[in-house]
Amino acid sequence: MVRSKAPSKKQQKKGIDFKKIKRKLGRKLPPPKNATNTEIKSKAIVLPEQSVATNKEGLAVSKKGLTLKELLQQTSHHNAKVRRDALMGIKDLVLNHPAELRLHRYAVIEKLRERISDDDKVVREALYQLFKSEIFPGCAEDNQGLLISLLMTYIFNAMTNLAIDIRLMAFKFFDLVVQYYPPCFSLYAEKILQSYEDILRKNQYCLEDKGKLRTTLSGLVHCLSLLPSKKPESEKGISGDRMIHAFEPDAPTANTGFSTIIKKLKELVLVLINCFQDFIPLLISMPQLDAQSFDCILSILQSIDIAVRFFIYGTHEVAAESICNQTLSSPLSKKLLGVFPLYPKQHLSVKEDDRYFILNIVITDIFLHLREWICPSANVFEKFLEFIENALLGTICSSTRSGKAAWEKHVSSLLPFIPKLASEVETRWQSRILESFTQTFKGCNPESSLKLACLSMIEEMLIPNGDKHYTEASDTVVLDFQTVWIRELPSLLMLLGDRQPSSSQVVLRLLLRLGQFSGSNSFLFWEYENTQFALSEFYSTCEEGNIYYGPFMRLPWDCQELSICCLYYFSNLSALLLKSVALCCLCPELEPFVSFRILEVLHAAYKAGHIQIADHISFFVTLLSRFKVFPENIDPVRESDVKVSNHGAFKSLTSVLCSYLSQMGDSSVVLQILDKAIIGLILLQPPLDNACAMLKVLIVLDSKPTRLSEQSIIALSNFLPGYLMDVVHCIPEDDVRTWRYYLLPCFFLFDRSNKVLKLVLDVIGSFLTDSNLSLPSDTSTRYATDNLSRINATISLLLLMYKDIKVQKIISLFRTEVSSILQSIASLQSSEVKMTLEERHRFQCSFEQLKVVTSTSPAG
C-alpha cells in the first residue's frame, strides 16, 4: 500500500497575513517606519571681531586680555589656581595701567579683602604681595583712614579663624597695614593686643613652625615701637633725657590714645615672659641656636623691652611704679633676669656667639630700665656691670666683620645708661665703666652711628641736663676722662673731613656747647681754650709757603656756621688760629657771605675782649692787602670777557672792614697803630684794588687836618703818582662812577694835606723834565708802562682834578707846579716821544683842553 506524502512548507505559509517578529527581553524597540526624525544638526559660523560683547578696544587689560572687572570676579572662583592667576593678572594690569587703581581703588579693596581668609596658602601670599607692591604704594596719597577701615574688619575676622595659618597671615597683613598707616595701631590697639595675646598663648602650635612665629613676633615689635617711650618735654631740662644722635626712634613722645591699653599690655607682657620661658628648654636641648629660634627670642625680648619703657616713660609715674612693682617685678626677676647671661652649651660657631651677645644686650637693657623697681642684689648687679664693661670693650663678641657690625649696632642701646651708672656706682666700678666707655668712643669708626651715640653721652656727662649753673665735678677720676673726651674732638673733626657732614655737625655743636658753658666751669674753660691750637688745622695750615685748607672749606654752611660761632667763645684767640681763619677768608673758593660772617663774629669777639687789638687790626690788614681780586685789571674793555668777578665782593669787604675799624675806639690811636703797617704795604706796589682799599682805611681813620706823620706823607707822595696814572690809564673818562671810586681816597688826602698834592705834582713834573721820562725809584706804574701812555695819563689826571670842585680849589694854589707840568708837556710834542698822526691828534686835543681848563680856573 503506498504511503501518502506530507504537504510541503511552502504550501503551509501561503495563508499568513502578518509576520510575527519575536522580540528579546530587554532590547530597545526600534522606531516605527513612519516615525518623523526631529534631530537638528548645525555648524557654528565664526565671525572674528564682530561681537560687541568681546570688543575691548581702549580698555585696560592684563596679559591674558582680561579687564579689571573680570579679574576681580575671578578672585571669587572656586578653583584656587584661577583665584591666584586673577591676583597675578590684577598685579600685571595695575603695574601697566596705574590709573585703573586710582579710579577703582575702593572697589578693588572691597573685593580683594575677601581673600584675606582664603583657604589656599598660595592665594593668601599672592594677595599679600599685591597689597605690598602695588595697592598700598599706589594709594599712598589717598584718604588712608577710609582704605584701612575697609580692611580691618576682615583682618580681625582672619585673626579669629580656626586655621592657625590664616590667623598668622592676618597678623602679617596687619603689620603691612601699620607700615603704611601707623596711626591705625592706636585706633585698634586694644583689639590687636588681645589678638596677639590669644595667638601667643597657643605658642605650642607656633613652636612647630618658628618661621611663622618669627613673622608674627616681628609684627608685634613693629606695633609696640609706636608706643610712646620718651619722657614728655615738660619733664625735661634744657636737654633733658637726650635723644641719641644716631638712633632717633619714630615713636611718639606723647601717650595720646594709648592710656586705655595698659591692662592689655600688662597681660601681653606676662604672656611674652612665658613664651621666653618656653624657649629655655629648647636652648638647652638644641645643639646650636638656629636663626629662626634666635629671631623669635630676640623679638620676644624686644617686645618686653619696649613695653617696659612704655610703662616707665609713657604712663604716669605712680602708674609706672605700680605696674613695675606689682605686675612685672617678680616674673621678670625669676623667669627673665634669672637666666642671665645666656651662653651656649658649647662653642660651635662665631655667629652663634654673636647671637647670644645680642640677646644678653636686650636683657641688660630691660634690667637697667627696671633696676630702680627690682632692687637687685649686689651679686646680680655686679653680674650685669661686668657684662656692660665687657660689652663696651667688645671682648664678648667676635672680631669678624659681621661681629663688629652687630657690636656697633647693639652696644649703643647701653650708652644712655652710662652717665647714671657712672654717677651711682662705687669708685672701683666707676673707673672701669668710664674706661670701657672711653675705649668704645676712641675705638669705633669715626663715621659710625656708635660714634654719634658716644658724643651724645659725652655731652650729657660734661653738661648734665644742659645746666649752665652746673658746677664742675670734684672727682679726679671723672675729670681725667672728661679731659680725654674733649681733647679727642678736634682730632675727630679732622678724621671725619668732609665725608660725613652730619657727624661733623654733631662734633661742632658739642664744641659750641662747651664754649657756651665754659664761663661757669673752670675745668671746661681751660680745656676749651686748649682746643683752639688743634682746631687751627681744621681751618687751614701754611707750611713752607704752601697753604693746605682743612675740612672747613668743604663742609656745608650749617657746619661752617657752627665752627665760626665756636671762635667767639675762646677767651683769648691765638694769632695762629686767626691766621688759619684769615687764609680761609682769602681763598677765592669761599663764599663771600661766609667771610662776612667770620668778620662779624670776630669783631664781636674783639668787643667782648677775646682778641687783642693788634691781632684784630693785623687780621683786617691781612685781608685788605692779600685779597686777590680777579680779574686784576680794572679796564672795563678787558673785563667784559670775564664771566666771574669778585670786584663787588671786595668792595663790600672793604666797606665792612672800614666800618669795624672806625668802631674800635679812638681813631687817632688806631691810625697810629696802622700807619706804618699800611704805608709799608702800599710801598710794595700792590694791585690797584688792594691799594685803593688801604687808602680808604687811612681816610676813614684820618681827619682834617691830617694826622699822618711826615714820613708817611713823603712815602705817599712817591706812591700816588704811579697809582693815579694807572687808574686814569685803565678807566675811560666817561666811566665816572669807577674812576671816582679809585680817585676819591687820593682827593681826600689832597684836601686834608695840601702838602701831599704839592709833592705829587712835583714828582710828576720831575718825571716830565727827565730826559729819559722815567719815574723815581719809589714810584712805578703797573699799566701805564710806556712814555706816551704816562704823558696822556698825566693830562687826563689833571683834567679830572679840575672837574672836582674841592680839588680844583686846592690845585689852584699850585699854579706854578701846574704851569711847569704844562711847559714840560708842550716841549715833548716835538720829537722826544714817537707818535702816529692819530695819536698826535688826540694828544693835542687833550692838551689844548687842559690849557683852557687851567687858564680859566679861579686863582687859589
Side-chain angles (χ1 to χ4, degrees):
M1 179 171 191
V2 180
R3 187 176 294 179
S4 60
K5 295 183 181 178
S8 65
K9 292 181 180 180
K10 292 182 180 181
Q11 292 176 348
Q12 293 177 357
K13 292 180 180 179
K14 286 183 179 179
I16 300 173
D17 294 329
F18 298 99
K19 185 179 180 181
K20 187 177 181 181
I21 301 174
K22 294 182 178 180
R23 304 293 183 187
K24 290 185 178 180
L25 188 65
R27 293 286 182 91
K28 184 178 180 182
L29 293 176
K33 292 181 179 181
N34 60 348
T36 302
N37 186 4
T38 58
E39 183 180 353
I40 299 175
K41 293 183 179 181
S42 64
K43 289 186 178 180
I45 300 175
V46 180
L47 297 176
E49 304 299 332
Q50 294 299 312
S51 175
V52 177
T54 59
N55 186 11
K56 299 177 181 178
E57 184 178 356
L59 298 178
V61 295
S62 65
K63 290 181 180 179
K64 293 185 178 181
L66 298 175
T67 63
L68 179 61
K69 182 178 180 181
E70 293 170 339
L71 290 169
L72 289 174
Q73 290 173 348
Q74 289 187 4
T75 58
S76 300
H77 198 273
H78 63 86
N79 188 296
K81 185 178 184 303
V82 175
R83 297 198 300 271
R84 183 195 63 191
D85 291 344
L87 293 173
M88 299 304 294
I90 293 174
K91 182 176 181 180
D92 171 62
L93 187 146
V94 170
L95 189 63
N96 295 317
H97 305 280
E100 287 294 299
L101 178 61
R102 290 194 295 270
L103 291 173
H104 309 290
R105 53 191 177 276
Y106 297 114
V108 169
I109 293 177
E110 283 181 353
K111 187 63 178 176
L112 293 182
R113 63 184 179 173
E114 301 171 0
R115 303 272 62 81
I116 293 176
S117 299
D118 197 282
D119 296 334
D120 189 80
K121 175 183 177 181
V122 179
V123 173
R124 294 195 303 271
E125 186 61 32
L127 179 69
Y128 176 83
Q129 294 300 329
L130 176 60
F131 270 94
K132 181 179 180 180
S133 61
E134 304 300 333
I135 295 180
F136 279 147
C139 300
E141 298 179 359
D142 297 326
N143 183 1
Q144 294 181 333
L146 179 58
L147 296 176
I148 299 306
S149 64
L150 294 174
L151 286 171
M152 288 310 300
T153 302
Y154 284 78
I155 291 177
F156 283 129
N157 288 338
M159 287 181 178
T160 59
N161 198 288
L162 294 176
I164 192 70
D165 286 349
I166 295 177
R167 296 179 68 178
L168 293 174
M169 193 66 186
F171 287 102
K172 188 175 179 180
F173 265 104
F174 180 71
D175 183 37
L176 183 64
V177 170
V178 172
Q179 290 178 30
Y180 282 92
Y181 188 62
C184 74
F185 175 63
S186 62
L187 297 175
Y188 305 99
E190 196 167 356
K191 275 188 175 183
I192 291 299
L193 293 179
Q194 181 63 54
S195 300
Y196 272 113
E197 182 184 344
D198 293 340
I199 195 68
L200 291 175
R201 286 187 187 276
K202 305 180 185 302
N203 63 335
Q204 195 59 42
Y205 300 106
C206 301
L207 289 177
E208 298 173 3
D209 191 346
K210 298 189 185 101
K212 297 176 181 177
L213 179 61
R214 175 177 61 180
T215 304
T216 304
L217 288 170
S218 65
L220 176 60
V221 173
H222 185 206
C223 290
L224 294 180
S225 65
L226 298 174
L227 292 171
S229 59
K230 292 288 175 185
K231 292 181 180 179
E233 292 297 328
S234 59
E235 297 179 14
K236 299 179 185 180
I238 296 175
S239 300
D241 187 11
R242 282 188 184 84
M243 186 177 295
I244 297 181
H245 297 294
F247 302 95
E248 298 185 357
D250 296 328
T253 57
N255 58 0
T256 305
F258 294 105
S259 57
T260 60
I261 67 168
I262 294 175
K263 182 180 178 182
K264 285 293 178 189
L265 191 57
K266 285 193 296 183
E267 296 171 355
L268 179 60
V269 169
L270 295 176
V271 173
L272 288 169
I273 294 173
N274 291 332
C275 287
F276 175 78
Q277 190 69 20
D278 292 338
F279 268 99
I280 298 300
L282 293 176
L283 291 177
I284 297 173
S285 60
M286 285 190 302
Q288 63 178 2
L289 182 59
D290 60 272
Q292 290 186 347
S293 299
F294 164 73
D295 290 338
C296 290
I297 299 173
L298 179 61
S299 294
I300 291 171
L301 292 174
Q302 288 175 336
S303 298
I304 296 172
D305 182 36
I306 296 170
V308 166
R309 280 190 275 127
F310 170 70
F311 291 143
I312 296 174
Y313 304 122
T315 60
H316 193 271
E317 186 176 351
V318 176
E321 185 174 358
S322 174
I323 294 168
C324 296
N325 279 337
Q326 300 176 11
T327 307
L328 301 179
S329 177
S330 178
L332 281 172
S333 299
K334 293 178 181 178
K335 297 181 180 181
L336 184 62
L337 305 181
V339 297
F340 180 85
L342 297 174
Y343 285 122
K345 291 172 58 179
Q346 53 184 347
H347 179 74
L348 295 174
S349 66
V350 170
K351 185 179 290 186
E352 189 175 12
D353 290 341
D354 294 338
R355 288 171 179 169
Y356 276 99
F357 167 73
I358 295 171
L359 295 178
N360 287 324
I361 283 283
V362 183
I363 295 175
T364 305
D365 199 22
I366 297 171
F367 166 78
L368 292 172
H369 280 299
L370 290 172
R371 181 167 63 93
E372 295 180 11
W373 288 275
I374 293 178
C375 298
S377 64
N379 292 335
V380 172
F381 191 29
E382 286 215 358
K383 187 164 56 173
F384 278 96
L385 288 176
E386 186 175 352
F387 174 79
I388 292 171
E389 178 187 22
N390 292 329
L392 291 173
L393 293 174
T395 57
I396 52 177
C397 61
S398 65
S399 57
T400 62
R401 186 175 181 180
S402 61
K404 288 288 289 183
W407 175 75
E408 286 197 352
K409 178 181 179 181
H410 293 280
V411 80
S412 298
S413 63
L414 301 178
L415 297 183
F417 304 99
I418 298 299
K420 191 171 184 180
L421 284 175
S423 63
E424 293 180 353
V425 297
E426 58 185 13
T427 305
R428 176 174 62 93
W429 274 110
Q430 182 189 55
S431 178
R432 291 173 64 176
I433 292 295
L434 290 178
E435 176 63 32
S436 58
F437 169 78
T438 304
Q439 292 301 320
T440 299
F441 171 59
K442 295 173 69 175
C444 63
N445 190 329
E447 301 176 13
S448 67
S449 57
L450 179 58
K451 184 71 81 173
L452 296 180
C454 289
L455 288 169
S456 182
M457 293 304 101
I458 287 173
E459 181 178 350
E460 175 64 27
M461 288 185 278
L462 288 172
I463 315 166
N465 299 319
D467 188 1
K468 288 187 176 182
H469 304 291
Y470 168 70
T471 55
E472 60 188 270
S474 57
D475 192 343
T476 56
V477 174
V478 177
L479 290 176
D480 289 342
F481 286 110
Q482 289 179 341
T483 301
V484 174
W485 302 334
I486 295 174
R487 294 179 182 179
E488 193 73 17
L489 297 179
S491 302
L492 179 57
L493 277 177
M494 295 304 299
L495 288 173
L496 288 170
D498 59 340
R499 296 185 303 275
Q500 290 286 336
S502 58
S503 300
S504 298
Q505 185 177 4
V506 172
V507 179
L508 289 167
R509 185 178 288 113
L510 176 54
L511 279 170
L512 179 59
R513 288 179 64 81
L514 289 175
Q516 291 170 339
F517 297 130
S518 62
S520 59
N521 187 315
S522 61
F523 164 74
L524 290 181
F525 174 82
W526 289 113
E527 288 302 323
Y528 184 73
E529 282 296 305
N530 292 332
T531 59
Q532 65 174 306
F533 302 101
L535 271 178
S536 61
E537 190 178 354
F538 170 76
Y539 295 97
S540 67
T541 54
C542 184
E543 297 178 3
E544 299 179 356
N546 297 319
I547 300 174
Y548 303 95
Y549 295 107
F552 171 81
M553 293 294 300
R554 302 181 297 274
L555 286 170
W557 162 241
D558 50 359
C559 293
Q560 290 178 332
E561 168 68 11
L562 288 171
S563 62
I564 293 170
C565 291
C566 286
L567 298 173
Y568 176 82
Y569 294 100
F570 292 113
S571 64
N572 186 13
L573 266 168
S574 67
L576 176 64
L577 184 56
L578 284 173
K579 179 181 178 181
S580 65
V581 174
L583 291 176
C584 292
C585 293
L586 294 172
C587 179
E589 297 177 5
L590 189 68
E591 292 290 340
F593 71 88
V594 181
S595 298
F596 294 140
R597 178 59 176 159
I598 291 174
L599 292 174
E600 179 185 2
V601 171
L602 289 181
H603 192 61
Y606 163 75
K607 291 194 289 186
H610 299 168
I611 305 178
Q612 298 294 325
I613 185 170
D615 292 336
H616 198 43
I617 291 175
S618 176
F619 182 86
F620 287 172
V621 172
T622 300
L623 295 187
L624 291 174
S625 62
R626 296 181 58 182
F627 193 97
K628 291 186 177 180
V629 180
F630 53 87
E632 185 177 328
N633 192 348
I634 59 175
D635 185 355
V637 177
R638 300 181 189 178
E639 188 179 339
S640 60
D641 298 331
V642 181
K643 295 182 179 180
V644 180
S645 172
N646 63 352
H647 276 281
F650 185 63
K651 288 180 181 179
S652 300
L653 179 69
T654 303
S655 299
V656 170
L657 292 180
C658 289
S659 174
Y660 286 159
L661 285 169
S662 65
Q663 301 170 17
M664 291 181 65
D666 190 343
S667 298
S668 61
V669 176
V670 178
L671 179 63
Q672 188 176 357
I673 298 173
L674 270 172
D675 188 358
K676 291 184 178 179
I678 290 286
I679 297 299
L681 291 170
I682 285 177
L683 293 180
L684 295 176
Q685 303 295 330
L688 292 181
D689 288 276
N690 301 87
C692 179
M694 288 185 280
L695 289 174
K696 282 180 175 292
V697 170
L698 292 178
I699 295 302
V700 168
L701 299 176
D702 196 14
S703 61
K704 185 177 181 180
T706 184
R707 289 181 292 202
L708 294 173
S709 64
E710 187 71 18
Q711 186 178 359
S712 297
I713 290 175
I714 295 172
L716 282 173
S717 64
N718 288 328
F719 165 77
L720 288 178
Y723 170 80
L724 292 169
M725 288 183 184
D726 280 337
V727 170
V728 174
H729 175 77
C730 293
I731 304 173
E733 290 185 24
D734 56 350
D735 191 0
V736 179
R737 182 177 180 181
T738 303
W739 67 254
R740 281 185 66 84
Y741 175 81
Y742 289 95
L743 293 182
L744 272 180
C746 303
F747 290 175
F748 272 105
L749 285 173
F750 298 158
D751 180 49
R752 294 174 182 179
S753 176
N754 296 347
K755 184 177 181 179
V756 175
L757 178 57
K758 182 181 184 307
L759 292 175
V760 168
L761 293 175
D762 289 343
V763 172
I764 294 174
S766 63
F767 144 70
L768 294 174
T769 56
D770 192 311
S771 59
N772 296 323
L773 295 177
S774 60
L775 289 168
S777 57
D778 292 340
T779 304
S780 65
T781 56
R782 296 173 65 90
Y783 305 108
T785 54
D786 60 282
N787 294 331
L788 177 60
S789 62
R790 289 175 181 174
I791 296 173
N792 287 329
T794 302
I795 296 173
S796 299
L797 174 61
L798 292 174
L799 287 172
L800 290 172
M801 286 182 177
Y802 276 100
K803 286 182 179 179
D804 188 278
I805 297 176
K806 285 188 176 182
V807 178
Q808 184 188 90
K809 291 180 179 180
I810 302 170
I811 201 172
S812 299
L813 301 173
F814 305 104
R815 283 185 173 274
T816 304
E817 286 79 2
V818 174
S819 298
S820 176
I821 293 173
L822 292 177
Q823 292 175 5
S824 299
I825 293 174
S827 65
L828 293 173
Q829 290 187 67
S830 55
S831 61
E832 293 190 30
V833 179
K834 295 182 179 180
M835 292 180 282
T836 63
L837 290 175
E838 183 179 356
E839 290 172 343
R840 187 172 293 277
H841 174 72
R842 288 200 302 268
F843 174 84
Q844 289 177 349
C845 290
S846 300
F847 184 58
E848 291 299 324
Q849 182 183 1
L850 177 61
K851 287 194 293 183
V852 171
V853 169
T854 55
S855 62
T856 57
S857 64

